[in-house]
Amino acid sequence: MHLLLLFFYFFRDFGFNAITEIPTVLFRHEQDASIVKFDHNELAYLKSGTFSGLIKVEYILLHHNKISTLDGGVFTNIPAKAIFLYNNFMEMISVDWFNTHRDVRVYLFNNPIRNISSDVSLAINTALEIFVNCSTLETLPSSHQTFDGSCVNNVFVPYVEIHSSDVMDSLKAEQGWDCSSLKWSSFMCSPCHRGTYDNNRACLECPTGGFYQDEIGTTSCKQCDVGTFVNYTGGISLRECKVCPDGSDLTKPAGYRACVCKGDFTRTHRFQGCQRCQTDGLNCSLDYRYLMPGFYWNWSFPEVNLTEYRQFVVNLQTENLTYLNTSIEYKHRMPNVFRCPRFQSCKNPNSDTREGLDGRCDDGYRGWQCIKCQEGYFPVLNSCTKCPHDWVVLLQTLILSVLVIVTFAVVLCLHSGKDPRQCNRSINNKVAARIKIMFGFYQVIGELTESLNGAPWSDASVHLDKLFSLLDFNILNLYTRLRCLNENFTINPLLRFKIGLISQVGTVMLACTIYLTCKVYLKRWRHSVTGELTAKLNKVKSRLYTFAIFFFFVTYTPTCAAIFKVLPTACETFDVVHDGSYMISLLRSDVDINCGALGNYQIGAYVATSLYVIPFPLILLYVLYKHRRRNVERQLPCNNRTVPVPDNDVSQNTSSMGEIHAEHYHEVPAWLDFLCGNYKEEFWYWEIVELLRKVVQIMLISMFGWKNSMVKLFTIGASIVFLFTNVIIFPMRDRFEEMLQIFSLSVILTNVLVTAIPITYDGYVPLLSTFLLTLDAVLCITIAGEAVVAMYRISKRAIISRRVKEALIRRYHQIAGPNEG
């Protein structure tokens, strides 16, 4: 130890060590040191003569030790101006401690001194001034004129003038003192007042929160009792620590806030009360709100401020004095929290950090409630799938376009190909009837799945939907992957609305244009006679009617859906802020579209509803009624394809070479037969009923959304009623078609029930979604198989007919040859 002390001797600074004893030999010889520092050590006892060789010393620093006893004459004849003995363990002042003949100040506060003996007053000259805590004194000297004493307390703080920068630096260096500069290198120093502490630079007020200080000259603040805090800076007493506000956890210390909040509580002010989270989807375990996975909030509205909230959160996470007083409160409103329709779309990673506070959609998702697909993704069963290569998209689009064109071309050229006197249905008629069943099924299912906005379909279902996505038969849905080539190819509800209306008007104009063109062509360039011209024009008109009716019938449901989806009832209003003071209205089918800007579209939708949605089925019903009435008068079934004509209208040409002329019969138009050909006579109107069923179901789903309880009730009820009605009355002529229709209605009902009834166990979701799509696929395969069989039969019949014709021609030539010879 002596060697260590000799080493420190050259630096004249022994403070902040673990020294327990000062050897008397250290300062036995005369030294010219003016400052001696032994503060912040483990000294407990000072021997006589320890400082005898310090003939020029002015300041002795012995504070913050464990000194309880001093030998007599320790400071005898020491020329010190100030001796710092505060913050030790001395309980009394003994004889001859300060036997000096020079003005000296002795700082003894923060010692538990109980007794100052009368002998001391006789020994100490009048130049001595001591500073003690008087609150613990029990005995005072009998003569109070021999020295000056000052009681140090929380109100009175002693000041000392220091003429040494070294001493000043020592007092300011975590000693609990604050010094200010005077002239001529002098400093006025004093211990930090109560309510403050020394931070190694200056005396600072104890921070707001669980801190106070009722003593002077300290380097730290005391902590309030558990569950209490001081709501301002500079707390000076334990009594100023008040119980933390409502919602606080009173079992923990307050720290640098008004106590931490309970588990289900949150705050927007560091030093005010906590409020309940009150909303599912929020985690408030860290005293602030942040999103849980599967939920969404939006910070893009003027009532909220994400930047300020981030600053508040970061500041709240700062559990030390470096927090900013300018960010202790979030003053704006909080956004409301919404459950994401598709849980996996809203992963919200690191939502408790500054970067993740606003919430994060999963890869491929974006927009309100993470419903929309990002660029480079396309929707499949309300999931977003990464786009394939461009050449794959182009090839798929080309194949789809060819299929659409071929379908309409086949319908345009549709004819029975049978003897007009026969009452049996043609193969084409049967195929068309079964395709209608498939149309009705997938149009309802397509709108149902689209309205779910992110239902938790399984991965297997998504892969199956990629294979069967063509079966929606909403032509616009067939081209959803074009957005993979360019985002401008995205077809939103507004564009669908425009295309739907333009296509209906355009089809009428196209049919009229083709008819007038044919009429002009036949009249001017072919020079057809009146009878021949009329017959050809009637044939053209019939095919145009067939094309138009088929097109209107197929596109009626998706066009109605496009109209319904821009009506005001198709908008959904959201309270975007927590207190409901700010709301927005978004289009349910596309949340990127704000309903506030849809005034003209909504007017157009009302007009289209009155001029197209309502009149179209009524017109079809009227036409079918007229046809049935005419057939009743002629005693023919509605679905009979032949009608007798008067004798004077029948051609008198004789038949030849095996041709069997239709005697007095005229064929019913194919477009009319398309509507009623597959129904029994008494159910001639049933196709209109089916059409209305689909439209009403789609209307409710499109306009009110699947979340509406009445929509669920009506959709389930309608599905059950139509299923049992078909089972009971069997409106179709063909038993296989009736069973196919019953099967499709059963699958629709199953889809509706599974969608309407919440699934409490997530493990069932993959099984049920795969089961539903499997049922859909079975129906598709059944109808596709029928189409293949029908095509095979038509081809086979055509080959046989051609061979029979060739055989008849050869037979004719064999018979006619010798006769001509």
Side-chain angles (χ1 to χ4, degrees):
M1 173 183 285
H2 292 173
L3 293 176
L4 183 61
L5 290 175
L6 290 175
F7 172 77
F8 282 117
Y9 169 76
F10 293 99
F11 299 95
R12 309 290 170 83
D13 188 352
F14 303 93
F16 291 93
N17 288 285
I19 300 173
T20 59
E21 180 184 357
I22 302 176
T24 56
V25 298
L26 184 61
F27 300 113
R28 178 173 298 177
H29 303 286
E30 293 184 358
Q31 305 290 338
D32 58 356
S34 61
I35 303 170
V36 175
K37 300 179 181 180
F38 280 95
D39 57 283
H40 292 86
N41 280 287
E42 301 292 328
L43 299 176
Y45 174 68
L46 295 179
K47 297 178 180 179
S48 178
T50 299
F51 304 106
S52 59
L54 298 175
I55 59 176
K56 295 184 178 181
V57 68
E58 295 183 355
Y59 303 98
I60 300 177
L61 280 63
L62 294 166
H63 56 87
H64 288 93
N65 277 283
K66 299 180 180 180
I67 300 173
S68 60
T69 306
L70 299 178
D71 279 349
V74 174
F75 300 105
T76 300
N77 296 323
I78 299 298
K81 296 180 180 179
I83 301 173
F84 298 91
L85 283 166
Y86 62 89
N87 286 95
N88 278 286
F89 297 151
M90 293 181 288
E91 296 184 0
M92 62 173 295
I93 299 176
S94 184
V95 180
D96 295 334
W97 279 12
F98 308 102
N99 189 6
T100 177
H101 300 283
R102 186 172 179 176
D103 294 345
V104 59
R105 286 187 168 193
V106 182
Y107 297 92
L108 291 165
F109 56 87
N110 289 350
N111 279 280
I113 297 176
R114 294 182 299 166
N115 181 27
I116 301 179
S117 67
S118 58
D119 294 337
V120 172
S121 62
L122 298 175
I124 299 177
N125 60 50
T126 57
L128 174 65
E129 184 177 5
I130 64 173
F131 297 87
V132 296
N133 293 105
C134 298
S135 59
T136 59
L137 285 177
E138 298 176 359
T139 304
L140 293 175
S142 57
S143 175
H144 56 79
Q145 298 179 352
T146 57
F147 72 97
D148 292 329
S150 299
C151 291
V152 178
N153 51 47
N154 293 334
V155 178
F156 171 75
V157 178
Y159 287 84
V160 57
E161 185 174 347
I162 305 296
H163 300 283
S164 170
S165 60
D166 291 338
V167 176
M168 186 273 296
D169 291 339
S170 178
L171 292 178
K172 290 189 65 176
E174 299 182 7
Q175 304 299 306
W177 288 69
D178 189 20
C179 299
S180 58
S181 179
L182 302 175
K183 61 181 180 178
W184 307 111
S185 299
S186 296
F187 306 92
M188 183 62 70
C189 298
S190 66
C192 294
H193 294 63
R194 62 175 181 169
T196 65
Y197 71 102
D198 182 16
N199 73 335
N200 198 22
R201 292 183 299 274
C203 292
L204 300 179
E205 290 184 318
C206 291
T208 306
F211 304 99
Y212 75 98
Q213 183 53 262
D214 56 1
E215 298 181 4
I216 64 172
T218 61
T219 58
S220 62
C221 296
K222 296 179 180 180
Q223 288 195 4
C224 294
D225 292 339
V226 171
T228 62
F229 85 115
V230 180
N231 196 22
Y232 45 82
T233 59
I236 61 175
S237 171
L238 181 62
R239 289 178 295 180
E240 295 184 356
C241 298
K242 306 299 182 182
V243 176
C244 291
D246 293 340
S248 302
D249 186 351
L250 302 182
T251 65
K252 297 178 181 178
Y256 292 89
R257 63 184 74 181
C259 291
V260 296
C261 296
K262 294 179 181 178
D264 195 31
F265 285 75
T266 183
R267 61 168 21 107
T268 55
H269 194 293
R270 193 182 191 105
F271 301 111
Q272 293 182 5
C274 302
Q275 308 84 34
R276 286 189 179 274
C277 273
Q278 295 182 336
T279 304
D280 292 337
L282 289 178
N283 191 329
C284 300
S285 60
L286 300 178
D287 274 19
Y288 59 89
R289 299 177 178 94
Y290 62 93
L291 279 177
M292 297 174 65
F295 292 85
Y296 171 87
W297 59 11
N298 192 290
W299 291 85
S300 62
F301 302 101
E303 299 292 322
V304 297
N305 191 319
L306 179 59
T307 301
E308 182 180 309
Y309 189 66
R310 279 175 170 165
Q311 293 173 349
F312 167 75
V313 169
V314 172
N315 206 39
L316 192 64
Q317 292 174 328
T318 305
E319 291 289 343
N320 52 54
L321 282 174
T322 60
Y323 74 84
L324 302 176
N325 285 321
T326 56
S327 299
I328 63 173
E329 179 183 11
Y330 173 71
K331 301 178 181 178
H332 290 76
R333 292 182 172 88
M334 291 297 298
N336 216 346
V337 177
F338 303 93
R339 184 184 298 273
C340 291
R342 185 179 184 273
F343 181 88
Q344 295 86 347
S345 301
C346 304
K347 285 193 172 181
N348 300 322
N350 302 320
S351 61
D352 59 336
T353 64
R354 172 187 172 89
E355 293 74 17
L357 273 176
D358 55 339
R360 290 288 187 274
C361 298
D362 193 14
D363 293 340
Y365 298 87
R366 66 166 184 85
W368 184 264
Q369 295 181 319
C370 300
I371 293 174
K372 304 290 290 182
C373 293
Q374 290 181 352
E375 184 175 354
Y377 291 79
F378 70 95
V380 175
L381 263 184
N382 297 319
S383 298
C384 293
T385 303
K386 196 169 184 62
C387 288
H389 295 293
D390 290 350
W391 68 268
V392 176
V393 177
L394 291 173
L395 180 61
Q396 291 174 340
T397 305
L398 178 61
I399 294 174
L400 292 175
S401 301
V402 171
L403 289 176
V404 171
I405 294 172
V406 168
T407 301
F408 281 95
V410 169
V411 173
L412 185 62
C413 300
L414 189 66
H415 60 88
S416 63
K418 66 170 186 177
D419 191 326
R421 292 174 300 179
Q422 298 176 356
C423 294
N424 294 329
R425 296 167 61 203
S426 67
I427 294 177
N428 287 348
N429 184 274
K430 293 181 180 180
V431 172
R434 294 165 191 184
I435 289 178
K436 282 193 299 181
I437 296 174
M438 185 172 64
F439 279 6
F441 172 75
Y442 279 102
Q443 284 172 346
V444 174
I445 293 299
E447 289 299 326
L448 177 63
T449 55
E450 187 176 352
S451 69
L452 295 180
N453 282 335
W457 300 93
S458 67
D459 293 337
S461 302
V462 173
H463 291 305
L464 282 175
D465 186 67
K466 292 180 183 179
L467 298 177
F468 300 110
S469 59
L470 306 183
L471 303 178
D472 184 3
F473 282 96
N474 182 341
I475 296 176
L476 297 179
N477 284 342
L478 301 181
Y479 297 96
T480 54
R481 298 189 185 186
L482 282 177
R483 62 173 291 168
C484 293
L485 301 178
N486 192 307
E487 282 294 310
N488 294 327
F489 292 154
T490 301
I491 302 177
N492 61 27
L494 302 184
L495 184 57
R496 289 189 182 193
F497 175 74
K498 295 176 184 177
I499 294 176
L501 297 185
I502 293 173
S503 64
Q504 306 304 310
V505 177
T507 300
V508 175
M509 296 179 63
L510 178 62
C512 294
T513 302
I514 293 175
Y515 178 77
L516 293 176
T517 302
C518 292
K519 185 175 182 180
V520 171
Y521 173 76
L522 293 173
K523 211 169 187 181
R524 292 192 177 184
W525 279 275
R526 298 298 296 270
H527 304 290
S528 302
V529 296
T530 303
E532 182 183 1
L533 176 63
T534 302
K536 291 182 178 180
L537 287 178
N538 286 338
K539 187 175 181 180
V540 171
K541 186 188 298 183
S542 176
R543 291 195 173 183
L544 288 177
Y545 274 139
T546 302
F547 168 77
I549 292 298
F550 180 76
F551 180 83
F552 290 150
F553 181 84
V554 172
T555 60
Y556 177 70
T557 303
T559 302
C560 289
I563 294 172
F564 297 149
K565 286 180 179 179
V566 297
L567 288 172
T569 51
C571 297
E572 187 170 355
T573 301
F574 298 93
D575 294 330
V576 296
V577 295
H578 191 64
D579 58 3
S581 61
Y582 190 88
M583 295 183 294
I584 61 169
S585 181
L586 302 178
L587 203 61
R588 191 177 292 109
S589 56
D590 191 337
V591 292
D592 282 348
I593 300 174
N594 194 314
C595 292
L598 297 183
N600 294 332
Y601 286 96
Q602 292 172 350
I603 293 174
Y606 283 123
V607 174
T609 301
S610 60
L611 297 181
Y612 172 75
V613 175
I614 298 174
F616 179 73
L618 296 179
I619 292 173
L620 290 182
L621 183 64
Y622 173 75
V623 172
L624 288 175
Y625 174 75
K626 280 191 63 177
H627 176 60
R628 178 180 182 274
R629 184 176 179 181
R630 183 178 59 184
N631 286 348
V632 169
E633 292 174 354
R634 297 174 179 176
Q635 297 182 350
L636 289 173
C638 165
N639 43 42
N640 193 49
R641 291 183 55 85
T642 57
V643 177
V645 295
D647 291 340
N648 55 3
D649 291 338
V650 180
S651 173
Q652 302 299 322
N653 295 334
T654 58
S655 59
S656 61
M657 205 176 61
E659 292 182 351
I660 303 176
H661 224 336
E663 52 182 71
H664 305 225
Y665 280 90
H666 176 68
E667 187 174 339
V668 174
W671 61 268
L672 193 58
D673 184 66
F674 173 76
L675 295 176
C676 67
N678 60 319
Y679 293 105
K680 297 176 182 178
E681 181 182 0
E682 61 270 28
F683 299 110
W684 56 271
Y685 55 85
W686 200 258
E687 193 61 60
I688 308 304
V689 176
E690 283 289 326
L691 195 65
L692 292 176
R693 173 193 57 95
K694 293 185 294 184
V695 169
V696 172
Q697 284 184 317
I698 291 175
M699 177 189 69
L700 293 175
I701 294 173
S702 301
M703 293 176 61
F704 302 103
W706 194 243
K707 298 177 182 178
N708 190 294
S709 299
M710 292 302 298
V711 172
K712 293 181 181 180
L713 180 62
F714 180 86
T715 306
I716 294 173
S719 301
I720 294 175
V721 168
F722 271 88
L723 174 60
F724 280 95
T725 302
N726 276 268
V727 170
I728 294 172
I729 67 175
F730 266 63
M732 294 185 176
R733 297 173 59 193
D734 187 270
R735 184 174 180 82
F736 175 78
E737 291 174 8
E738 185 61 47
M739 298 306 296
L740 195 63
Q741 175 74 341
I742 292 174
F743 178 62
S744 70
L745 292 174
S746 301
V747 176
I748 290 176
L749 177 60
T750 305
N751 279 269
V752 169
L753 288 175
V754 171
T755 306
I757 301 174
I759 302 174
T760 56
Y761 176 56
D762 293 340
Y764 293 145
V765 172
L767 178 63
L768 287 176
S769 56
T770 303
F771 171 71
L772 291 180
L773 284 177
T774 302
L775 291 179
D776 299 352
V778 169
L779 181 61
C780 170
I781 293 172
T782 302
I783 296 176
E786 279 291 309
V788 172
V789 171
M791 293 299 296
Y792 170 75
R793 290 175 179 174
I794 293 174
S795 302
K796 184 177 180 180
R797 179 175 296 180
I799 294 173
I800 294 174
S801 176
R802 183 174 180 180
R803 289 177 180 176
V804 170
K805 186 175 181 180
E806 291 175 352
L808 289 174
I809 293 174
R810 287 196 300 270
R811 180 62 177 167
Y812 172 78
H813 285 297
Q814 289 174 359
I815 297 173
N819 294 333
E820 291 180 359

